[in-house]
Each structure stands twice: as structure tokens, then as C-alpha cells.
Amino acid sequence: MAKKITYLGTVLLLMFSLGISAQSRKEKKMAGYLIGNYEVECMGTGMDGTQLIKVWGYGKKPEDAAYQAKKNAVHAVIFKGISGGQPGCMMRPLVTKPGAEVQHADYFNTFFANGGHYLSFVSQTGDGTMDRIKVDKKQYKVGVVVAVKHAELRRELEAAGIIPKLGQGF
Amino acid sequence: MRKLLLFFTVILFSFSTFGQAKKPIIMVVPSDNWCIKNGYTQMYDEMGTLKTLPDYKMALQNETDLLMTISKINTMMADRGFPLVNLETALKNIEQEGAEIAMLGSKSGGSVAESPIDVLQRTANADIIMQLTYVVNQNGPQRSVTFMLQGLDAYTGKQIAGAQGTGTPSFATETPVLLEEAVLAHIDDFNSRLQDHFNDLFTNGREIVFQTRIWDTSMIDFEEEFDYNGETLELGEIIEDWVFDNTVQGRYNTSNYTENVIRFDQVRIPLYDERGRANDTRRWIRDLRTMLGKAPFNQECKIYTRGLGEVWLIVGEK
């Protein structure tokens, strides 16, 4: 009997840990770490230190996809740069050092977690309408226009020691 | 306790001796192209040849758009932790300084010594020039702004950063607003490239130009041979070896070598000297001057600097 309980406990523990692992992998995927092939285009310059971006996200529900799109927008400004669309956005990413994403993985995992700090730097603009495409039975692709505060984002990354402050060392 | 005190003293001492690198002076200046196209030029007779020079003072006094654009760039750079030297203020300072030097007198009636070269060097002396060009394009009722910002190293002549592009055409937007949008759109890309340049500077050293020349009163030239460190070499070759030994990873290029002039460019000098002090061209070249002042050379040398990025060593006398 004791052996059965131990066996059952081990199986449950294993399942639980696998669940956690899957969750974190899913979260990372949501953060755009594992799949970074989202589409993004510039819509113009916003107020000082802000850029308007149209970005697409995927999700089971349109709301999830829109949520993911915001995450992608911040991710694009930090790691990709916005090279398509109208003029006015930063073509170069904020982080240009190769491998910085992996090097500071702990920081970015927390930063891009659901409800994470990244939300402070992005907001949906306009009347909240979104382009919605049903990709298949289980997935929606949603495009939203968001404003990303890239100047504040840069200050945040400078404070975290991920990118150097302009002229640091002089 | 004593050991602890000693430890903290050593730490504090090491922090205080390790200085910061010399900060380059950056200034936004309208490009020659912009000045000539908008008629802000002055003619200058150089030995019978008429030269066209940009008239920055007139441009700043008359073009509000230019003033606004420079001001916007200055503000945004200051926000990003790198305040710039303002062109208008620098021009006024130069004028004011000239007037004060002319008026200043000692109690015994002496005036402030100033050689023609001092007068010539009384310029803004920016190390990096942010050269600004913009054109307002008119296409029927639509207007747009083509904007170009070039970061130029004043001494090496290299473009170290840049951002350019044409904004979205608009029917109703006024020129100052279009220009402001252009600055907002391009300044961070420009800064990103500027930061790359600074990173390179911290890794590979500051790039300077070094020239060594001979006074025509000197008894020797760079082809004079000396026995030095067990070798018989020309003075120029000994100087070249010194440059190799005192550059980051021996990086330099000898672009000209004659008996009277040796020009080294792409010379990478370390940002700090061996004692951890901030290095500049004058400090860097001092050791060479000392070396040439001793046997077997016994040559007096004059050091002449041009801002942070160029230094001359003139051999023969001071």
C-alpha cells in the first residue's frame, strides 16, 4: 500500500512539474521568445518618444491575440526594430548587442510575463478597433495599432543595465 | 579593524584615480549645402581665390525653422543624457572672447598675449559635428520634409552616425511641425549609431590623427639615422615604432612618410593612461616628446593639438 502511495505521489509530482514547465514554455512562447515571426509595421511618429505601430498577434480568442500583439509590439521595439510601413519609427532595435536576450533571460522572462512590466510601455490607440482574421478553427490573428513609449523603454533598459546610457563612460 | 580601514582606503583611492574618459563636444550645425541653398554664405578671399563659406550667424538670426530644429535636437539629446554645445551660444562666446581679449590690460599696461594661431584656434572646436540638412518638398498641395542628420568626426572626417528620410506628405501641417516630426522620427536611430561609435571607442580606443613635422630651422630631418636600442634606424622609423608600441593593438596607418612630414591616421590611442587617468592626444604624445628630448636624439619638440582628435609634434625647437 505504502509503495502504491509513493508511486502515485511520484507520478502526480511529475505531472505537476511537467505542467509548470509547459506553462512557462507557453508563457515564453506568448512573450515571443520561442516564435518571433509576428508581423509589425510602422504607422508614424507619436508624441515625443512614442511611436505608433501596427502589430499582429495570435490567440485562441481575439482578446488573447490582441493581448499577445501588445507584447509583440514591445518585443519588436526592443529586439527587432521597425523597418516596414510609414516613416517615423526606429529602424534599429533598442538592444543591438547579439545574445543580449539570452544573457538577460531572467529579466525578460519577468518583464514579458502575463501582466508584466511591459504593459507600462504600450497602449492601444484609436477607438480600439482591430483587424480580425480567423486562421483556423482554433486560432485568430488580430492586428492592432498601439503606441509604444520607446524613450521610456530605453530608460528602463538603461536602468536595468541591459543597454548603456548614451555617452556612458565619459 | 585596521585591515578593514586599509581595504576601504585602497578602494576609495582606486576609484578616485580612475578618471572618466574625455567627453567629446558635439554640436549641431547646418550643412554647407543647406546654407548655400538658402543664401546664408559669406565670401572669403584666400590668397586671391574667392571661397564661399557658410554664414551660421546670419542663418540663425533669420531662420526660425532652423533655430527650432536645432533647439529640438539639443533638447532631445539632453533628455537622453548627452547635452550638446549650442551653436548660437558658441558663436556669441567666440565674439565675446575676442572683444574681451582686445580690451583686457594689466596694471602695467600689458595686454593678453595672443598669436595668430591662437586667434585661428578660437573656434567652436566641436569633436563631433551633427550636420543638419532639410528640404521642404512641395507636391501640389501636399508638403513633406526630407531630413538628414550626419554625425561627422571633425578630425578623421568619418561619418560615424547618420539618419535620414522623407516624412509622410501632409496637406495641412505647417513646416515647423513637419520638422519636429522629422527630428522625433530620426533622433533615436541616430543616437543608436552614435552609441555604436562610443562602444567601439571604448573597445578599440579613440581614433586620432597624428602628424610629426620638422621646423625648417632644424638641423636634422626624419631620415637622420640614430643608434637606438641596439638598432640603427631613421628617426621616422623610431617614431613609427613608438606609435606601434603606444596604440591599442598596434593600430595605426602611416599615410605619408617623407623627410619632413610623417602622417599617421586611424591611430587608436587608449582612453586611459597606465595610471588610469583619462587620456587625450597631448597626454599621449608627451612621452614621445620626452623620449626625443633625451640622448641620442636631444631634440626639442613642440606639441600642437587640434581639439581631441589631432595632434602634431614638430621636431627641432619649441
Side-chain angles (χ1 to χ4, degrees):
Chain A
M1 185 63 186
K3 270 187 180 177
K4 269 188 181 175
I5 289 171
T6 314
Y7 177 74
L8 203 67
T10 312
V11 169
L12 278 172
L13 197 69
L14 200 66
M15 282 174 73
F16 182 68
S17 62
L18 275 176
I20 289 173
S21 159
Q23 182 64 31
S24 64
R25 204 161 51 235
K26 189 181 170 190
E27 276 187 5
K28 276 187 182 178
K29 192 171 175 177
M30 289 292 279
Y33 280 8
L34 302 182
I35 300 170
N37 65 345
Y38 49 81
E39 295 145 57
V40 60
E41 64 176 305
C42 180
M43 300 300 285
T45 314
M47 299 298 283
D48 192 356
T50 309
Q51 52 197 26
L52 301 176
I53 297 167
K54 181 164 189 181
V55 64
W56 295 80
Y58 295 87
K60 283 181 183 171
K61 289 187 271 183
E63 295 77 27
D64 292 345
Y67 190 79
Q68 171 64 20
K70 281 186 188 176
K71 208 174 266 192
N72 289 346
V74 178
H75 187 267
V77 171
I78 296 177
F79 295 111
K80 282 191 162 185
I82 320 293
S83 44
Q86 293 177 28
C89 295
M90 277 185 75
M91 285 195 278
R92 284 165 68 95
L94 288 172
V95 176
T96 49
K97 193 178 166 192
E101 194 173 357
V102 180
Q103 192 188 341
H104 302 283
D106 288 346
Y107 173 83
F108 287 117
N109 283 341
T110 315
F111 184 81
F112 281 115
N114 285 335
H117 192 35
Y118 78 92
L119 283 169
S120 313
F121 306 100
V122 61
S123 54
Q124 205 163 332
T125 59
D127 55 3
T129 51
M130 47 181 139
D131 294 339
R132 197 164 68 174
I133 301 165
K134 193 163 187 181
V135 182
D136 54 38
K137 279 181 184 175
K138 289 182 178 175
Q139 204 173 37
Y140 283 91
K141 179 182 174 184
V142 164
V144 288
V145 178
V146 294
V148 178
K149 297 174 192 169
H150 68 91
E152 279 186 33
L153 195 53
R154 183 180 39 76
R155 277 194 283 274
E156 162 74 21
L157 297 175
E158 281 171 2
I162 290 158
I163 54 172
K165 206 170 178 184
L166 183 65
Q168 189 176 309
F170 289 117
Chain B
M1 186 64 188
R2 272 186 184 176
K3 276 185 180 175
L4 201 68
L5 267 172
L6 185 70
F7 172 75
F8 280 117
T9 313
V10 168
I11 291 285
L12 276 172
F13 182 72
S14 63
F15 271 118
S16 62
T17 52
F18 196 79
Q20 285 188 306
K22 301 265 167 117
K23 191 171 188 172
I25 296 170
I26 305 185
M27 191 188 288
V28 186
V29 170
S31 69
D32 287 13
N33 174 292
W34 186 93
C35 288
I36 291 167
K37 275 192 171 172
N38 289 281
Y40 297 109
T41 55
Q42 51 188 344
M43 301 305 279
Y44 171 67
D45 190 345
E46 191 183 78
M47 316 279 274
T49 310
L50 273 181
K51 286 197 164 184
T52 308
L53 292 174
D55 191 341
Y56 298 133
K57 192 178 167 190
M58 278 290 283
L60 290 166
Q61 283 173 345
N62 290 289
E63 289 284 340
T64 316
D65 289 347
L66 174 70
L67 199 63
M68 190 277 303
T69 311
I70 291 178
S71 163
K72 186 75 190 169
I73 295 172
N74 286 349
T75 310
M76 293 191 76
M77 292 296 283
D79 286 349
R80 280 146 183 79
F82 206 104
L84 307 183
V85 173
N86 185 33
L87 174 63
E88 198 177 17
T89 320
L91 291 173
K92 279 181 188 164
N93 270 346
I94 293 164
E95 272 184 17
Q96 181 75 13
E97 195 182 304
E100 280 173 23
I101 286 169
M103 300 294 283
L104 209 61
S106 70
K107 281 180 183 168
S108 64
S111 54
V112 177
E114 197 176 33
S115 70
I117 209 77
D118 294 332
V119 178
L120 203 65
Q121 282 218 338
R122 221 190 310 127
T123 56
N125 264 343
D127 301 296
I128 296 172
I129 295 162
M130 283 172 77
Q131 189 168 268
L132 168 72
T133 312
Y134 63 82
V135 185
V136 179
N137 310 305
Q138 192 88 34
N139 184 13
Q142 283 193 320
R143 289 191 315 152
S144 65
V145 163
T146 298
F147 184 86
M148 183 158 62
L149 201 57
Q150 292 168 288
L152 305 170
D153 187 312
Y155 309 105
T156 61
K158 288 183 180 173
Q159 179 168 329
I160 51 166
Q164 56 283 313
T166 303
T168 316
S170 165
F171 284 101
T173 316
E174 292 163 337
T175 310
V177 180
L178 289 175
L179 280 168
E180 198 175 344
E181 271 181 15
V183 175
L184 289 172
H186 293 106
I187 197 78
D188 285 308
D189 269 336
F190 180 88
N191 280 345
S192 173
R193 288 183 170 88
L194 191 63
Q195 184 60 50
D196 286 351
H197 170 68
F198 291 152
N199 291 345
D200 172 64
L201 204 133
F202 283 114
T203 314
N204 300 314
R206 195 188 296 281
E207 184 173 335
I208 65 153
V209 173
F210 165 46
Q211 289 193 41
T212 179
R213 291 173 176 268
I214 295 276
W215 289 113
D216 62 3
T217 51
S218 172
M219 303 296 286
I220 61 160
D221 59 25
F222 292 122
E223 289 177 349
E224 185 83 14
E225 290 187 348
F226 289 94
D227 288 325
Y228 187 66
N229 282 348
E231 281 183 286
T232 304
L233 294 168
E234 286 184 4
L235 178 61
E237 290 164 343
I238 293 166
I239 292 173
E240 206 171 9
D241 285 350
W242 183 91
V243 173
F244 176 82
D245 291 338
N246 288 276
T247 43
V248 179
Q249 296 170 9
R251 289 184 186 190
Y252 72 95
N253 175 46
T254 312
S255 60
N256 188 26
Y257 187 116
T258 67
E259 70 270 32
N260 295 318
V261 185
I262 307 175
R263 185 186 154 92
F264 301 94
D265 49 32
Q266 298 177 52
V267 179
R268 293 293 196 135
I269 64 166
L271 286 186
Y272 304 99
D273 66 9
E274 64 280 358
R275 286 165 62 186
R277 293 175 303 185
N279 212 0
D280 58 18
T281 48
R282 174 168 283 275
R283 197 184 285 279
W284 177 74
I285 206 68
R286 242 171 24 182
D287 290 345
L288 179 60
R289 185 185 61 183
T290 311
M291 186 184 103
L292 295 180
K294 290 178 185 168
F297 314 106
N298 300 317
Q299 295 297 314
E300 271 197 318
C301 299
K302 183 179 180 65
I303 295 175
Y304 175 74
T305 54
R306 296 181 68 206
L308 271 182
E310 187 163 343
V311 64
W312 296 5
L313 186 80
I314 312 171
V315 179
E317 57 181 313
K318 292 237 182 195

